[in-house]
Amino acid sequence: MEESRSARIVLGANQYGKAEVRVVRVRRDGPRHELRDLDVSIALAGDLAEVHLSGDNGSVLPTDSQKNTVYAFARRYGIDQIEDFGLLLARHFVDSQPAIDRARVRLTEHGWQRLGPHSFQRDGAEGRTATVTVTAQRTTVESGLTGLVLLNSTDSEFNGFVRDPYTTLPETDDRILATAVEANWRHQDGEPADRTATRDWAGSYAGVRAALVGAFVDTYSRSLQQTLYAMGHRVLAERPEIVEIHLSLPNQHHLPVDLAPFGLTNPGEVFVATDRPYGLIEGTVTRAAEETAGPVAGWS
Amino acid sequence: MEESRSARIVLGANQYGKAEVRVVRVRRDGPRHELRDLDVSIALAGDLAEVHLSGDNGSVLPTDSQKNTVYAFARRYGIDQIEDFGLLLARHFVDSQPAIDRARVRLTEHGWQRLGPHSFQRDGAEGRTATVTVTAQRTTVESGLTGLVLLNSTDSEFNGFVRDPYTTLPETDDRILATAVEANWRHQDGEPADRTATRDWAGSYAGVRAALVGAFVDTYSRSLQQTLYAMGHRVLAERPEIVEIHLSLPNQHHLPVDLAPFGLTNPGEVFVATDRPYGLIEGTVTRAAEETAGPVAGWS
Amino acid sequence: MEESRSARIVLGANQYGKAEVRVVRVRRDGPRHELRDLDVSIALAGDLAEVHLSGDNGSVLPTDSQKNTVYAFARRYGIDQIEDFGLLLARHFVDSQPAIDRARVRLTEHGWQRLGPHSFQRDGAEGRTATVTVTAQRTTVESGLTGLVLLNSTDSEFNGFVRDPYTTLPETDDRILATAVEANWRHQDGEPADRTATRDWAGSYAGVRAALVGAFVDTYSRSLQQTLYAMGHRVLAERPEIVEIHLSLPNQHHLPVDLAPFGLTNPGEVFVATDRPYGLIEGTVTRAAEETAGPVAGWS
Amino acid sequence: MEESRSARIVLGANQYGKAEVRVVRVRRDGPRHELRDLDVSIALAGDLAEVHLSGDNGSVLPTDSQKNTVYAFARRYGIDQIEDFGLLLARHFVDSQPAIDRARVRLTEHGWQRLGPHSFQRDGAEGRTATVTVTAQRTTVESGLTGLVLLNSTDSEFNGFVRDPYTTLPETDDRILATAVEANWRHQDGEPADRTATRDWAGSYAGVRAALVGAFVDTYSRSLQQTLYAMGHRVLAERPEIVEIHLSLPNQHHLPVDLAPFGLTNPGEVFVATDRPYGLIEGTVTRAAEETAGPVAGWS
């Protein structure tokens, strides 16, 4: 009976790859250098049953080789836009490995400001991201950003919410609204046949980022959900190449300190910024008529 | 034309809740105290379009109230097994909030060793986790663990893999195999009508953990994928109450140091443990005959 | 004999206080808000033997009160320059607490860029710091910065070093030089009697920071030590108000990747940025004629 | 005049070395393997003016060579007690490098529990540490531990403290006392001539750790300072080989949650564990008759 029960045990979904390959690429065509600084993570899926069941590695490209590929491609093709570099890598693995039918490459670019012809200062926590997924049938490109911390010191209220027996929160018509934006947006499918055409990824990124920031700044907020939707809506309204966006917005609570014990008022001036717990607001804004590709990567 | 394009923009999947509520519960019935130390994260979904579209909070239970509920329930019902505490919370939100049709509660328990009747020492990085998802139709309970770091100093090889033009890795028949186990396993569905019955969650957890550790220790490993499958298989073979398990195993590479420049051999004795990049092996082991519930939480 | 040995056990140096008080201060005199975002840590020392020896708290101002003082002072006096805010706090504790004869306040300011009249975007990892130490005899103000990551993609070599039997490093005449600057510099003592005079802390900070960055960019580097000294020297040469500076410079190694196995050269273009281990270069630059105050805080 | 001011600028205290060298050593004399897992950081000081002033590296042993030395020594001499391994390394640098007159080596050992002859599970966050400082005149060995989190759920009160205008904290005669112990203790000087004699570092460590934990558990605490002193005192009383101990104890506040709004009492049962701010209590316990060596490393 143990036998029969065990017999029904099977391998389900699986993938493997190299995570957090850090590559820095200097372009030194002349005295003015260019710098690209990336983390690259690769995940491959396909016909990988044998290695799980028997340990036979005959279909397994080592993750060490995947890492080497990142470095060799950085030299051979350079790195300009992370979406293009991800496409190169993902297509390479699907095309060259018979066992692999899906490759997903996630890239994070760390920004550097120029200080001189060959001198740079690293930007802060904000990162530009891309997730490229290639199968025989379809190529999906998502772009994104992480670690963009925004704050409005007024024009935010929170009223009219449900009051259940565990509700003690007072209503407020003036609070700080702050969040660390994590956003992923999916581009319209391109022509899979036309592999050499690149798009204006940099222009698209700049446009989406400006739409996100602009909507955050401009929206008089009655809830963080409303701000989230306004941000996503503006992106889709202004950027026809984007078909879907997912936003994950932690509510970085700033609580006004009660200064009455010290004989002081506190008219929205002194706050304690708390680490946790925090509200977490997640949502997707999409185009109704588009066929959607399923959840954006990172959404669970 | 801008109008018509905007008109097609709609709200997609969304959820909100309070994340990382830290609650410590002391049971002090007598001189010998008991301690529970949890992080609780709540995510609610349902008919939440209005708050996104207009900022009307009429269906929004504040995340602050969700936090209060955690503390009040800790007092009213105590905390014994995290699966039961999660079920209590998730059902409460679905039952009491008309707009909410799905509640997911994720809990991590930090262990403490007893030093005396009311004295404790915190365990390390390992955490016991649970993810409870309640809808009107179905209740799903996953248990899990995180931060369990295991190492075999021999009985691991890596041979016979694909060699493409970017492969430089030598084959090896004796290496260190080390990983930080992150595992989530789903329990058989119970009877949704029978809400008061609890199961032996503690016994189940201990059994699954022992199966995972035992399979890691016992398996002569030809690849980390093989070890992963052996771990998952043993859990399903030994624990009939588990229908599916997902494992995420980073390969914590230990590279033998080349000591030849110093006139020394290195017969598998001195290693540098690297942080990144790292191989990441992820896989699911499941029962073929079972209807599966879709991907386990945390799998992307 | 146990008695006599125990009798010789005494309390040595000690201090206590509240660490990492996070305060956000909004100045809203008009439609254009100003924002200050600080972490404040307080350490008090003095006649505190009794609380250690018997648990008598008669001389102990609770750390909770210290925290409250930060918030109350933020409201009462506002926060402009962190050096001034630290002086206010440190003097308050020494002046008002009979048992306390030394107060040290460390402050880190997180920067925000303006996006609109009441909208802001947080800067990155770089923080502006101050450490104020007040005793009855002396007031010391150190300013500093942390998390400033700088990189030169050329004009750095490393040659002519000691070669011992464990040296395998090749000499190089062109490498990447990168570091995360942590710097603390001490200001000339002021007149302790003149407590209301403030200095141009903002101007001094901007000048020191520009000197540090300028010297890093301009120096053709034969070693990170040389760059460190050039940075410290320029600060003292350009800023007469600074009497001493301590620099802690981790060498963020960027290793050129060997691409020969793939038939590729690598003329200083593709690098792996490693996390650890890292070289750590620490040094002080000071004025010979000045009486020094002893090591700068943070130097061990 | 600029000249004369610059002329007075001089190099002050400085040191350099390799930080966070991670070495894992397997002893495989038989089927039962032994494992040691260390982080090693080295800091060298001496006659290093020239490299700072001119970039001449003639006295500079590369940090890369220091790293290699760690690996080569791990193979040549093995790693048993971290104090001995640190002494080997520190003496080597002072003895072999003419320019170096002080070497400080800091080591952290990560523990692993045995699961089988060659299988291990990593312990948690607690680490055993050592700091060895060697000069021509003196050899100092400090041992320590970090990340030992202890909690008493009762037998702790906080009363009779100073109440100033900013004090709102209520007195309490029953609270949770929790802290993450960071301790460094200095051993009696040995005979510098006798370099081959080792001491019972393992026994000493076990004894000191037991004294720290025992004193924490046994002390009815009126303040964390009292507990700190009791811990330090017990170490010196029980361990004659220790001449001084420094303790840094963050007060991990556990605040009772006010459940009255929900019609519930909270008799010391439900707490929120906060991250920051936190009280930080630091103190030294020493022997009065001993000549002290100056502040223990890590104390600022």
Side-chain angles (χ1 to χ4, degrees):
Chain A
M1 179 175 154
E2 169 62 24
E3 190 91 50
S4 73
R5 197 202 295 138
S6 289
R8 296 161 50 226
I9 300 172
V10 295
L11 178 68
N14 62 85
Q15 63 182 7
Y16 85 108
K18 198 65 137 195
E20 296 188 38
V21 178
R22 179 87 183 281
V23 56
V24 173
R25 178 68 161 87
V26 179
R27 208 175 74 197
R28 34 202 309 168
D29 303 341
R32 185 181 167 92
H33 291 185
E34 300 288 338
L35 196 70
R36 287 287 184 279
D37 181 352
L38 309 187
D39 282 313
V40 181
S41 295
I42 296 162
L44 307 181
D47 182 9
L48 295 165
E50 204 49 42
V51 62
H52 289 86
L53 302 181
S54 74
D56 179 336
N57 293 302
S59 298
V60 175
L61 180 72
T63 65
D64 188 73
S65 307
Q66 299 171 27
K67 176 196 71 178
N68 289 343
T69 307
V70 171
Y71 291 117
F73 277 32
R75 171 72 177 121
R76 184 166 287 149
Y77 305 109
I79 300 174
D80 185 15
Q81 299 300 305
I82 53 175
E83 289 84 356
D84 287 323
F85 192 63
L87 282 164
L88 264 177
L89 287 165
R91 285 169 176 159
H92 166 77
F93 293 117
V94 171
D95 289 353
S96 65
Q97 294 301 311
I100 299 306
D101 53 39
R102 197 201 69 202
R104 173 170 291 162
V105 180
R106 302 192 188 203
L107 311 98
T108 301
E109 179 172 5
H110 309 291
W112 291 82
Q113 294 173 40
R114 181 175 295 282
L115 296 173
H118 51 259
S119 298
F120 304 88
Q121 173 189 338
R122 186 158 169 175
D123 284 341
E126 187 179 339
R128 176 178 164 187
T129 64
T131 305
V132 174
T133 308
V134 168
T135 67
Q137 290 73 42
R138 187 167 186 191
T139 294
T140 309
V141 178
E142 295 160 48
S143 299
L145 57 78
T146 185
L148 169 64
V149 180
L150 301 175
L151 181 151
N152 285 330
S153 56
T154 188
D155 283 4
S156 168
E157 56 180 60
F158 190 48
N159 286 312
F161 44 76
V162 173
R163 301 201 77 88
D164 80 349
Y166 301 100
T167 301
T168 56
L169 188 75
E171 305 206 328
T172 177
D173 52 15
D174 193 4
R175 63 171 184 173
I176 285 182
L177 188 71
T179 190
V181 181
E182 181 158 337
N184 291 283
W185 52 91
R186 187 163 54 84
H187 296 263
Q188 252 184 352
D189 283 11
E191 302 306 304
D194 182 12
R195 295 193 161 203
T196 56
T198 69
R199 306 190 196 178
D200 179 13
W201 303 114
S204 178
Y205 180 81
V208 172
R209 190 185 182 287
L212 290 169
V213 171
F216 181 88
V217 170
D218 295 346
T219 302
Y220 184 98
S221 177
R222 289 178 181 79
S223 70
L224 187 47
Q225 281 94 331
Q226 183 193 19
T227 296
L228 180 152
Y229 185 74
M231 293 167 76
H233 188 278
R234 188 177 295 192
V235 169
L236 296 199
E238 294 187 355
R239 307 299 314 183
E241 75 276 19
I242 309 301
V243 295
E244 190 168 80
I245 182 167
H246 175 66
L247 290 154
S248 178
L249 301 183
N251 194 342
Q252 298 189 331
H253 305 300
H254 286 66
L255 309 178
V257 181
D258 177 12
L259 301 174
F262 321 120
L264 295 168
T265 60
N266 186 8
E269 301 212 347
V270 179
F271 298 86
V272 53
T274 60
D275 297 309
R276 57 172 187 169
Y278 54 91
L280 181 58
I281 314 297
E282 300 175 281
T284 307
V285 185
T286 188
R287 296 194 193 276
E290 293 282 336
E291 179 204 10
T292 57
V296 186
W299 167 257
S300 66
Chain B
M1 178 175 157
E2 171 60 27
E3 189 90 52
S4 72
R5 195 203 298 138
S6 289
R8 295 161 52 225
I9 301 172
V10 294
L11 178 67
N14 62 85
Q15 62 183 8
Y16 85 108
K18 199 64 137 194
E20 297 189 37
V21 177
R22 179 89 183 281
V23 57
V24 173
R25 177 67 160 87
V26 179
R27 208 175 74 198
R28 33 202 310 167
D29 302 341
R32 185 180 167 91
H33 291 184
E34 300 287 339
L35 196 68
R36 287 287 184 279
D37 181 352
L38 310 186
D39 281 313
V40 182
S41 294
I42 297 162
L44 307 181
D47 182 9
L48 295 165
E50 203 50 40
V51 63
H52 289 86
L53 302 180
S54 74
D56 178 336
N57 292 302
S59 298
V60 175
L61 181 72
T63 65
D64 188 74
S65 307
Q66 300 172 26
K67 176 196 71 178
N68 288 343
T69 307
V70 172
Y71 291 117
F73 277 32
R75 171 72 177 122
R76 183 166 288 147
Y77 305 109
I79 301 175
D80 185 14
Q81 299 301 306
I82 54 175
E83 290 84 355
D84 286 324
F85 192 63
L87 282 164
L88 264 178
L89 287 165
R91 285 169 176 158
H92 166 77
F93 294 118
V94 171
D95 289 353
S96 66
Q97 293 302 311
I100 298 306
D101 53 40
R102 196 199 71 202
R104 173 170 290 162
V105 180
R106 303 192 188 202
L107 311 97
T108 301
E109 179 172 5
H110 309 291
W112 292 82
Q113 294 172 39
R114 180 175 296 282
L115 296 173
H118 51 259
S119 297
F120 304 88
Q121 173 189 337
R122 185 157 170 176
D123 285 340
E126 187 178 340
R128 174 178 166 187
T129 64
T131 305
V132 174
T133 309
V134 169
T135 68
Q137 291 73 41
R138 186 164 185 193
T139 294
T140 309
V141 178
E142 295 160 49
S143 300
L145 58 77
T146 185
L148 169 64
V149 181
L150 300 174
L151 181 150
N152 285 331
S153 56
T154 188
D155 283 3
S156 168
E157 56 181 59
F158 190 48
N159 286 312
F161 43 76
V162 173
R163 300 201 78 88
D164 79 348
Y166 302 101
T167 301
T168 56
L169 188 74
E171 305 206 328
T172 178
D173 52 15
D174 193 3
R175 62 170 184 174
I176 285 182
L177 188 71
T179 190
V181 181
E182 180 157 337
N184 292 284
W185 52 91
R186 188 163 54 85
H187 297 264
Q188 252 183 353
D189 283 11
E191 301 305 305
D194 181 13
R195 297 196 159 199
T196 55
T198 71
R199 306 190 195 176
D200 178 13
W201 303 114
S204 177
Y205 181 81
V208 172
R209 191 185 180 287
L212 290 169
V213 171
F216 181 89
V217 170
D218 295 346
T219 301
Y220 183 98
S221 177
R222 289 178 183 79
S223 71
L224 187 47
Q225 282 93 332
Q226 183 193 17
T227 296
L228 179 151
Y229 185 74
M231 294 168 75
H233 189 278
R234 188 177 295 191
V235 168
L236 296 198
E238 294 187 355
R239 307 301 313 183
E241 76 275 19
I242 308 301
V243 296
E244 189 169 81
I245 181 167
H246 175 65
L247 290 155
S248 177
L249 301 184
N251 194 342
Q252 298 189 332
H253 305 300
H254 286 65
L255 310 177
V257 180
D258 177 12
L259 300 174
F262 321 121
L264 296 168
T265 60
N266 185 9
E269 301 213 349
V270 179
F271 298 86
V272 53
T274 60
D275 297 309
R276 58 174 185 169
Y278 55 92
L280 181 58
I281 314 297
E282 300 175 282
T284 307
V285 186
T286 188
R287 296 192 193 277
E290 293 281 337
E291 178 205 11
T292 57
V296 186
W299 167 259
S300 66
Chain C
M1 180 177 156
E2 169 62 25
E3 190 90 49
S4 73
R5 195 202 298 137
S6 288
R8 296 161 54 225
I9 299 173
V10 295
L11 178 67
N14 62 84
Q15 62 182 8
Y16 85 107
K18 197 65 135 195
E20 295 188 39
V21 177
R22 178 87 183 281
V23 56
V24 173
R25 177 68 159 87
V26 179
R27 207 175 77 195
R28 35 202 310 169
D29 303 341
R32 185 180 167 91
H33 292 184
E34 301 287 338
L35 195 68
R36 287 287 185 277
D37 180 352
L38 310 186
D39 281 314
V40 182
S41 295
I42 297 161
L44 307 182
D47 181 10
L48 295 164
E50 203 49 42
V51 63
H52 289 86
L53 302 180
S54 73
D56 179 335
N57 293 301
S59 297
V60 175
L61 181 71
T63 64
D64 188 74
S65 307
Q66 299 172 26
K67 177 196 71 178
N68 288 344
T69 308
V70 172
Y71 291 117
F73 277 33
R75 171 71 177 122
R76 183 167 287 148
Y77 305 108
I79 300 175
D80 186 14
Q81 300 300 305
I82 53 175
E83 289 85 356
D84 286 323
F85 193 62
L87 283 164
L88 264 179
L89 286 165
R91 286 169 175 158
H92 166 78
F93 293 118
V94 171
D95 288 353
S96 66
Q97 294 301 311
I100 299 306
D101 54 39
R102 196 199 71 201
R104 173 171 290 163
V105 180
R106 302 193 190 203
L107 310 98
T108 302
E109 178 172 5
H110 309 291
W112 292 82
Q113 293 173 39
R114 180 175 296 281
L115 296 174
H118 51 259
S119 298
F120 304 88
Q121 174 190 337
R122 186 159 169 175
D123 285 341
E126 187 178 340
R128 176 178 165 186
T129 64
T131 305
V132 175
T133 309
V134 168
T135 67
Q137 290 73 42
R138 188 167 184 190
T139 294
T140 310
V141 177
E142 295 160 47
S143 299
L145 57 78
T146 185
L148 169 65
V149 180
L150 300 175
L151 181 150
N152 284 331
S153 56
T154 188
D155 283 2
S156 168
E157 55 180 61
F158 190 48
N159 285 312
F161 43 75
V162 174
R163 301 201 76 89
D164 78 350
Y166 302 101
T167 300
T168 57
L169 188 75
E171 305 206 327
T172 178
D173 52 15
D174 193 4
R175 64 171 184 173
I176 285 182
L177 188 71
T179 190
V181 181
E182 181 157 337
N184 290 285
W185 52 90
R186 187 163 54 85
H187 296 263
Q188 255 185 349
D189 283 12
E191 301 305 306
D194 182 12
R195 296 196 159 199
T196 55
T198 70
R199 305 191 196 176
D200 179 13
W201 304 113
S204 177
Y205 180 81
V208 173
R209 189 185 183 286
L212 290 169
V213 171
F216 180 88
V217 170
D218 295 345
T219 302
Y220 183 98
S221 177
R222 290 180 181 77
S223 71
L224 187 46
Q225 282 92 330
Q226 182 193 20
T227 296
L228 180 151
Y229 185 74
M231 293 167 77
H233 188 278
R234 188 177 295 192
V235 169
L236 296 198
E238 294 188 355
R239 306 301 312 185
E241 76 275 19
I242 309 301
V243 295
E244 189 168 79
I245 181 167
H246 176 66
L247 289 155
S248 177
L249 301 184
N251 194 342
Q252 298 189 332
H253 306 300
H254 286 66
L255 310 178
V257 181
D258 177 11
L259 301 174
F262 321 121
L264 296 167
T265 60
N266 187 8
E269 301 213 347
V270 179
F271 298 86
V272 52
T274 60
D275 297 309
R276 57 172 185 169
Y278 55 92
L280 182 58
I281 314 298
E282 300 176 281
T284 307
V285 185
T286 188
R287 296 191 193 277
E290 293 281 336
E291 178 206 11
T292 57
V296 186
W299 166 258
S300 67
Chain D
M1 180 179 154
E2 170 61 25
E3 191 91 52
S4 73
R5 196 203 295 138
S6 288
R8 295 162 52 226
I9 300 172
V10 295
L11 178 67
N14 61 85
Q15 61 182 9
Y16 85 107
K18 198 66 136 194
E20 296 189 38
V21 177
R22 179 87 183 282
V23 56
V24 173
R25 176 68 160 83
V26 179
R27 208 175 75 197
R28 33 202 311 167
D29 303 341
R32 186 180 166 91
H33 292 184
E34 300 287 339
L35 196 69
R36 287 286 184 278
D37 181 352
L38 309 186
D39 282 313
V40 182
S41 295
I42 296 161
L44 307 181
D47 181 9
L48 295 165
E50 203 51 41
V51 62
H52 287 86
L53 301 181
S54 73
D56 180 336
N57 292 301
S59 298
V60 175
L61 181 71
T63 65
D64 188 73
S65 307
Q66 300 172 27
K67 177 197 70 178
N68 288 344
T69 307
V70 172
Y71 290 117
F73 277 31
R75 170 73 178 122
R76 183 166 289 147
Y77 305 108
I79 301 175
D80 185 16
Q81 298 302 305
I82 54 176
E83 289 85 355
D84 287 324
F85 193 62
L87 283 164
L88 265 178
L89 287 165
R91 285 169 176 159
H92 166 77
F93 294 117
V94 171
D95 288 352
S96 65
Q97 294 301 310
I100 299 306
D101 53 38
R102 196 200 70 202
R104 172 170 290 163
V105 180
R106 303 193 188 201
L107 311 98
T108 302
E109 179 172 6
H110 309 291
W112 291 82
Q113 295 173 40
R114 181 175 295 282
L115 296 174
H118 50 259
S119 298
F120 304 88
Q121 175 190 335
R122 185 160 169 173
D123 284 341
E126 187 179 340
R128 176 179 163 186
T129 64
T131 305
V132 174
T133 309
V134 168
T135 68
Q137 291 73 42
R138 186 167 185 189
T139 294
T140 309
V141 178
E142 295 160 46
S143 300
L145 57 78
T146 184
L148 168 65
V149 180
L150 301 174
L151 181 150
N152 285 331
S153 56
T154 188
D155 283 4
S156 168
E157 56 181 58
F158 190 49
N159 286 312
F161 43 76
V162 172
R163 301 201 76 89
D164 80 348
Y166 301 102
T167 300
T168 56
L169 187 74
E171 304 205 329
T172 177
D173 51 16
D174 193 4
R175 63 171 184 173
I176 285 183
L177 188 72
T179 189
V181 180
E182 181 159 337
N184 291 284
W185 52 91
R186 187 163 55 85
H187 297 263
Q188 252 183 352
D189 283 12
E191 302 305 305
D194 181 13
R195 295 198 160 198
T196 56
T198 70
R199 306 191 196 176
D200 179 13
W201 302 114
S204 177
Y205 181 81
V208 172
R209 190 185 181 286
L212 290 169
V213 171
F216 181 88
V217 170
D218 295 346
T219 302
Y220 184 98
S221 178
R222 287 179 182 80
S223 72
L224 186 48
Q225 281 94 332
Q226 183 193 19
T227 296
L228 180 151
Y229 185 73
M231 294 168 76
H233 188 278
R234 187 177 295 192
V235 169
L236 295 198
E238 295 187 355
R239 308 299 314 182
E241 76 275 19
I242 309 301
V243 295
E244 189 168 82
I245 181 166
H246 175 66
L247 290 154
S248 177
L249 301 183
N251 194 343
Q252 298 189 332
H253 305 300
H254 286 66
L255 310 178
V257 181
D258 177 11
L259 300 174
F262 321 121
L264 296 167
T265 59
N266 185 9
E269 301 212 348
V270 178
F271 298 86
V272 52
T274 60
D275 297 307
R276 58 171 186 171
Y278 54 92
L280 181 59
I281 313 297
E282 299 175 282
T284 307
V285 185
T286 188
R287 296 193 193 275
E290 294 281 337
E291 178 205 11
T292 57
V296 187
W299 166 258
S300 65

